[in-house]
């Protein structure tokens, strides 16, 4: 029996020792979400020396709180944004190819209770298919009431005329971010979480690096770089303002945060493997019911938010909307008591110039890349599906802004992520999580101590050790929120098993695993506003 190859270690003292070395990087990236990690991988594959710094954990913010869909954006098509849809459909295909263990096709059904909706939405979805072309995942189908009920067991049948079935994709967002970080590191990038950027360094009017601080021991570091990328998501304006202050130039905020709320309930409300989509609820919003990792995600909302909390609170009206509208389409109406976890993500929508309004539904979902007079490159907006295209645009802006004279072409379109080289792609992400999330690394996980000791179904002690040794995990939260998604699936169960996970994390790191902080966090994920 062959011994599985050993993954690249994420031993933190080694990473911090590398950060302390005096050198000038080609590129320093602020932010370890989808955008920053995508830029890091693209840049290092073009031969640049890269360091990426994240203040918390990778994907701690928006990038772990998506609706878990890899999609072209049906509602963007309805808005007439054909270019955005075409790009996203192409990127959807690329993502599913490069990470088949973390992203898979998912069939959707739009149930119709007014018969005119079937041809109306069906024609639009046929256009969606046409825009996808060879990158399509399956053909749109018109369903009668019986077929709709077969695809959506648990759907309300009273008044059901039929439905329309189409295909998109779904993914594990936090684990995909982790795969990007580990893949970039395997190609030579220095990637660090829990190392907050505290300031920018300017020399002769140009940004020349940054200062950062290790969160665990408080050690400060100076990092010099030819190019600094501000990819801090909804927090990009903080660094734009630091840059503007150094140049004595006023800087107007460019991000208008919008929050999306998600409720998680048991799968028996909709026990099939098809997602349900309502493109227009009674008040004109969109409703999803998405099977994911053994549970059902209900959402989402699009509500203006003026603060930038790391753990945003849902508004009572948002929860009421999701439960009320779900009751219109499911035979058994979910109640507040059925909610296993509630989580909120902040979208970094790009504010148009001179916009002071609060209607985030009309603000651009496309990304924006800006170069300041100092050479600071800021990227924000966009969505998970198009992270790779966003990274290409960032590297193009670096050349346009004369940060680099020229760069080789991008290699990320056909570059598989860590774990993707597997002969047996993951069948689906609708079922409970387990070893299949590790792809080609599953054999190595199975070779570790504790591979036969389950913490909770699907999570072994070996997986916890793997998370610390090879996946940058430093705390209980890192393991149970983003390496294994239990906090997002069942916060009460996450709290129950947290002490056992904490003990293993402490064995591996020798440090406080922050158990009490995590237990407080589980209360937040169980707390519904009244």
């Amino acid at each position: 029996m062959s011994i599985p190859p050993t993954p690249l270690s994420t031993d933190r003292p080694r990473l911090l020792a590398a950060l302390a070395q005096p050198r000038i990087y080609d590129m320093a990236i602020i932010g370890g979400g989808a955008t920053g990690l995508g830029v890091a991988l693209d840049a290092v594959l073009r031969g640049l020396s890269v360091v990426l710094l994240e203040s918390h954990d990778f994907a701690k913010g928006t990038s772990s709180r998506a609706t878990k869909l890899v999609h072209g954006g049906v509602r963007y098509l309805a808005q007439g944004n054909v270019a955005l849809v075409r790009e996203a459909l192409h990127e959807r295909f690329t993502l599913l190819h490069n990470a088949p263990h973390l992203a898979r096709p998912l069939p959707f059904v739009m149930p119709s209770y007014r018969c005119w909706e079937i041809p109306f939405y069906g024609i639009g979805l046929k256009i969606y298919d046409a825009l996808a072309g060879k990158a399509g995942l399956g053909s749109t189908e018109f369903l009668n009431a019986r077929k709709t009920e077969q695809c959506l067991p648990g759907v309300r049948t009273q008044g059901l005329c039929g439905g329309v079935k189409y295909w998109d994709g779904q993914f594990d967002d936090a684990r995909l971010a982790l795969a990007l970080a580990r893949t970039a590191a395997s190609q030579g990038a220095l990637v660090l979480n829990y190392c907050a950027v505290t300031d920018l360094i300017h020399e002769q009017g140009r940004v020349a690096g940054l200062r950062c601080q290790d969160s665990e021991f408080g050690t400060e570091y100076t990092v010099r770089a030819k190019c600094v990328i501000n990819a801090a998501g909804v927090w990009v304006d903080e660094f734009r303002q630091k840059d503007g202050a150094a140049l004595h130039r006023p800087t107007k905020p460019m991000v208008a945060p919008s929050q999306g709320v998600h409720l998680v309930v048991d799968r028996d409300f909709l026990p099939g493997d098809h997602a349900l989509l309502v493109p227009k609820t009674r008040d004109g919003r969109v409703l999803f019911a998405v099977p994911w990792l053994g549970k059902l995600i209900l959402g989402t909302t699009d509500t203006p938010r003026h603060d930038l909390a790391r753990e945003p609170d849902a508004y009572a009206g948002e929860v009421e909307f999701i439960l009320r509208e779900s009751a219109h389409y499911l035979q058994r109406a979910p109640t507040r008591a059925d909610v296993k976890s509630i989580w909120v993500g902040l979208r970094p929508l790009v504010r148009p110039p001179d916009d002071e309004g609060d209607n985030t539904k009309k603000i651009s979902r496309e990304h924006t890349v800006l170069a300041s007079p100092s050479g600071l490159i800021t990227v924000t907006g966009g969505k998970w599906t198009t992270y790779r295209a966003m990274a290409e645009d960032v590297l193009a802006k670096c050349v346009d802004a004369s940060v680099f004279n020229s760069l080789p072409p991008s290699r990320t379109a056909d570059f598989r992520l860590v774990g993707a080289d597997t002969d047996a792609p993951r069948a689906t992400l609708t079922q409970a999580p387990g070893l299949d999330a590790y792809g080609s690394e599953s054999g190595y996980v199975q070779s570790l101590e504790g591979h036969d000791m389950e913490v909770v179904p699907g999570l072994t002690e070996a997986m916890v050790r793997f998370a610390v040794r090879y996946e940058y995990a430093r705390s209980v939260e890192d393991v149970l929120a983003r390496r294994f998604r239990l906090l997002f699936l069942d916060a009460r169960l996450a709290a129950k098993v947290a002490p056992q996970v904490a003990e293993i994390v402490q064995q591996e790191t020798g440090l406080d695993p922050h158990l009490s902080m995590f237990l407080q966090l589980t209360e937040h994920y169980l707390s519904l506003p009244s």
Side-chain angles (χ1 to χ4, degrees), residues 156-186:
R156 184 171 66 85
T157 56
Q158 182 182 2
L160 182 65
C161 296
V164 182
K165 175 180 175 178
Y166 75 101
W167 289 82
D168 251 323
Q170 73 173 162
F171 72 132
D172 186 333
D173 48 6
R175 287 202 64 84
L176 183 64
L178 199 60
L180 286 170
R182 296 180 62 217
T183 306
S186 74

Side-chain angles (χ1 to χ4, degrees), residues 120-254:
F120 179 79
Y121 290 118
I123 291 169
L125 287 166
K126 288 288 187 182
I127 296 172
Y128 195 64
D129 291 350
L131 289 172
K134 294 181 180 178
L137 303 178
S139 298
T140 293
E141 301 174 47
F142 294 78
L143 307 177
N144 60 26
R146 183 177 62 83
K147 290 287 287 184
T148 301
E149 188 178 355
Q150 288 176 355
C151 291
L152 296 175
V155 74
R156 184 171 66 85
T157 56
Q158 182 182 2
L160 182 65
C161 296
V164 182
K165 175 180 175 178
Y166 75 101
W167 289 82
D168 251 323
Q170 73 173 162
F171 72 132
D172 186 333
D173 48 6
R175 287 202 64 84
L176 183 64
L178 199 60
L180 286 170
R182 296 180 62 217
T183 306
S186 74
Q187 300 302 305
L190 177 58
V191 180
L192 263 169
N193 53 353
Y194 295 106
C195 194
V197 174
T198 56
D199 207 354
L200 302 175
I201 297 172
H202 290 81
E203 293 177 354
Q204 298 177 336
R206 301 288 295 178
V207 65
L210 50 82
R211 294 184 179 87
C212 59
Q213 185 174 39
D214 167 41
S215 300
E216 291 186 352
F217 295 105
T219 309
E220 296 182 343
Y221 300 87
T222 297
V223 176
R224 298 197 170 270
K226 298 174 187 175
C227 176
V228 176
I229 307 294
N230 176 16
V234 291
W235 296 276
V236 291
D237 285 328
E238 174 187 342
F239 297 101
R240 292 179 65 245
Q241 287 162 3
K242 288 180 184 292
D243 182 57
L247 302 179
H248 306 290
R249 294 172 61 97
T251 304
K252 290 188 68 174
M254 66 182 291

Side-chain angles (χ1 to χ4, degrees), residues 435-464:
L435 203 58
D436 50 3
Y438 296 86
S440 58
E441 294 185 310
S442 59
Y444 187 84
V445 176
Q446 286 289 79
S447 74
L448 296 179
E449 174 190 349
H451 66 88
D452 55 350
M453 302 288 290
E454 274 198 331
V455 176
V456 70
L459 176 66
T460 64
E461 291 187 2
M463 292 175 180
V464 179

Side-chain angles (χ1 to χ4, degrees), residues 256 304 306 351 354-360 363:
H306 299 293
R351 185 189 302 274
D354 303 320
D355 176 73
E356 301 297 337
D358 268 351
N359 189 351
T360 58
I363 295 178

Side-chain angles (χ1 to χ4, degrees), residues 223-453:
V223 176
R224 298 197 170 270
K226 298 174 187 175
C227 176
V228 176
I229 307 294
N230 176 16
V234 291
W235 296 276
V236 291
D237 285 328
E238 174 187 342
F239 297 101
R240 292 179 65 245
Q241 287 162 3
K242 288 180 184 292
D243 182 57
L247 302 179
H248 306 290
R249 294 172 61 97
T251 304
K252 290 188 68 174
M254 66 182 291
V255 171
S258 164
Q259 76 175 22
V261 174
H262 305 82
L263 307 181
V264 176
V265 297
D266 282 330
R267 274 285 296 281
D268 54 11
F269 286 95
L270 195 71
D273 286 328
H274 290 62
L276 182 154
L277 169 65
V278 179
K280 194 171 185 178
T281 60
R282 285 160 173 75
D283 62 357
R285 289 186 273 186
V286 177
L287 180 74
F288 290 100
V290 179
W292 185 70
L293 299 183
K295 297 293 183 182
L296 186 70
I297 301 174
L298 304 175
T300 181
T301 58
D302 196 349
T303 310
R305 187 100 204 187
H306 299 293
D307 61 322
L308 296 175
R310 287 285 170 178
E311 292 291 346
D313 293 310
Y315 294 118
E318 294 176 302
V319 173
E320 181 190 357
F321 159 74
I322 294 171
L323 292 176
R324 181 185 70 243
E325 291 301 323
S326 297
H328 291 313
Y329 297 96
L330 299 177
Q331 283 181 5
R332 187 160 66 92
T335 67
R336 294 169 64 93
D338 295 310
V339 176
K340 299 289 185 179
S341 184
I342 175 172
W343 33 276
V344 183
L346 296 180
R347 305 179 187 94
L349 304 185
V350 180
R351 185 189 302 274
D354 303 320
D355 176 73
E356 301 297 337
D358 268 351
N359 189 351
T360 58
K361 299 180 192 67
K362 296 187 187 308
I363 295 178
S364 175
R365 260 64 183 168
E366 296 183 70
H367 62 274
T368 295
V369 186
L370 300 175
S372 80
S374 75
L376 177 69
I377 307 293
T378 294
V379 53
T380 196
K383 57 180 184 167
W384 242 120
T385 305
T386 56
Y387 83 88
R388 197 198 64 81
M390 292 169 65
E392 288 188 347
D393 288 350
V394 170
L395 273 293
K397 176 64 76 171
C398 291
V399 175
D400 291 344
S402 301
V403 177
F404 302 113
N405 292 329
S406 63
L407 289 172
S410 175
R411 295 172 51 201
T412 56
D414 190 24
F415 195 91
R416 292 199 144 196
L417 303 185
V418 165
D421 293 324
T422 174
D423 296 329
R426 194 168 180 175
T428 177
L429 268 77
T430 63
Q431 301 304 314
L435 203 58
D436 50 3
Y438 296 86
S440 58
E441 294 185 310
S442 59
Y444 187 84
V445 176
Q446 286 289 79
S447 74
L448 296 179
E449 174 190 349
H451 66 88
D452 55 350
M453 302 288 290

